Amino acid sequence: MAAPSAPSSEDGYRFDDLRALFINCTLKPFPQLSHTQGLIDKSRAIMDARGVTTELVRAVDLDIAPGVYPDMTEHGFATDVWPALFEQVMAADILVLAGPIWLGDNSSVTKQVIERLYSCSSLLNSQGQYAYYGRVGGCLITGNEDGVKHCAMNVLYSLQHLGYTIPPQADAGWIGAAGPGPSYLDPGSGGPENDFTNRNTSFMTWNLMHLAALLKRAGGVPAHGNQRTEWDAGCRPGADNPEHR
């Protein structure tokens, strides 16, 4: 069954005010073939057709230092491009982390990116909320061994813990038959034609766009009961606190 093409905009759904960032967490440097990229391309095509401004980075090609601080050059590393990549993260309404399965788990690059997202999670926005509030996150997983759901659970839990909003059906993936075998883009794998994967990728992409649009047009998550600045100042909305004014 042929994979569905990116839909037209005849139904009126446009998202020209949205930006999306896809981070490919493959272990393969460019220009090596990334099977994860094949799945990213399907989601990205849907967004592009609807006016979303999309960007793509392959994290393994970047000199991202390991660590849990916003700039690791301040903690012993000679170089660290994370501060520049963080600017792209903050410019995006939608973040999609995509990567392969190894030993039933996310790749080391995926874990490194999540660690660096975590390194900036204590930063605050202009309303005193954590910096990632008002943005949505999803994930794409590829591999030729079991682990799609495990990997997706880890990524989506991590993103929501950091402040991202996760829409329904915010993950999609593809795996081949159990044991060594063809990967997503290999001839005869059936990956690009897989109806289950194509359906989930489409649903994920649409839900990311819908929820990102709702949040953006509503001004983000309401700033009541979730402001770090207010909590630190002693305000406890909804709690019995005689010092609250």
Side-chain angles (χ1 to χ4, degrees):
M1 183 175 183
S5 59
S8 70
S9 298
E10 295 177 357
D11 52 29
Y13 280 104
R14 297 289 302 177
F15 302 96
D16 300 89
D17 58 336
L18 296 183
R19 300 182 67 90
L21 175 64
F22 292 82
I23 301 183
N24 185 349
C25 297
T26 177
L27 301 183
K28 301 173 182 176
F30 184 82
Q32 292 184 37
L33 175 68
S34 165
H35 298 281
T36 299
Q37 187 60 51
L39 192 52
I40 289 173
D41 290 342
K42 289 182 176 289
S43 177
R44 191 179 185 188
I46 296 172
M47 291 194 192
D48 286 340
R50 296 298 173 150
V52 179
T53 299
T54 63
E55 291 185 286
L56 168 71
V57 298
R58 191 180 288 207
V60 74
D61 290 331
L62 305 177
D63 186 14
I64 302 172
V68 290
Y69 295 97
D71 186 349
M72 291 306 298
T73 63
E74 299 174 358
H75 298 272
F77 284 84
T79 58
D80 183 15
V81 303
W82 176 257
L85 181 54
F86 179 66
E87 291 184 9
Q88 289 180 266
V89 169
M90 296 305 291
D93 306 289
I94 299 168
L95 176 66
V96 180
L97 299 185
I101 302 167
W102 292 109
L103 295 174
D105 208 343
N106 286 302
S107 75
S108 58
V109 177
T110 302
K111 292 176 179 293
Q112 183 187 31
V113 169
I114 290 173
E115 285 173 349
R116 296 312 304 275
L117 287 167
Y118 175 71
S119 74
C120 297
S121 63
S122 63
L123 302 177
L124 304 179
N125 65 20
S126 60
Q127 299 186 88
Q129 302 165 307
Y130 290 115
Y132 299 126
Y133 274 42
R135 295 167 175 79
V136 302
C139 69
L140 296 168
I141 308 294
T142 60
N144 55 15
E145 58 182 77
D146 197 14
V148 168
K149 289 182 173 62
H150 169 78
C151 291
M153 284 190 292
N154 180 269
V155 172
L156 296 180
Y157 166 79
S158 298
L159 290 177
Q160 68 79 30
H161 183 76
L162 301 181
Y164 277 89
T165 301
I166 308 300
Q169 192 62 51
D171 65 295
W174 182 88
I175 54 171
S183 295
Y184 181 74
L185 293 177
D186 286 339
S189 73
E193 299 79 36
N194 187 278
D195 187 68
F196 180 81
T197 296
N198 288 331
R199 183 195 71 194
N200 286 353
T201 301
S202 181
F203 284 14
M204 179 206 75
T205 305
W206 275 99
N207 289 342
L208 287 170
M209 293 189 295
H210 285 315
L211 191 54
L214 287 171
L215 284 171
K216 186 159 192 170
R217 294 160 195 174
V221 177
H224 180 78
N226 56 32
Q227 294 168 290
R228 175 64 186 270
T229 50
E230 293 296 300
W231 185 272
D232 289 347
C235 293
R236 306 289 190 267
D240 184 14
N241 180 2
E243 297 302 318
H244 178 69
R245 297 291 184 268

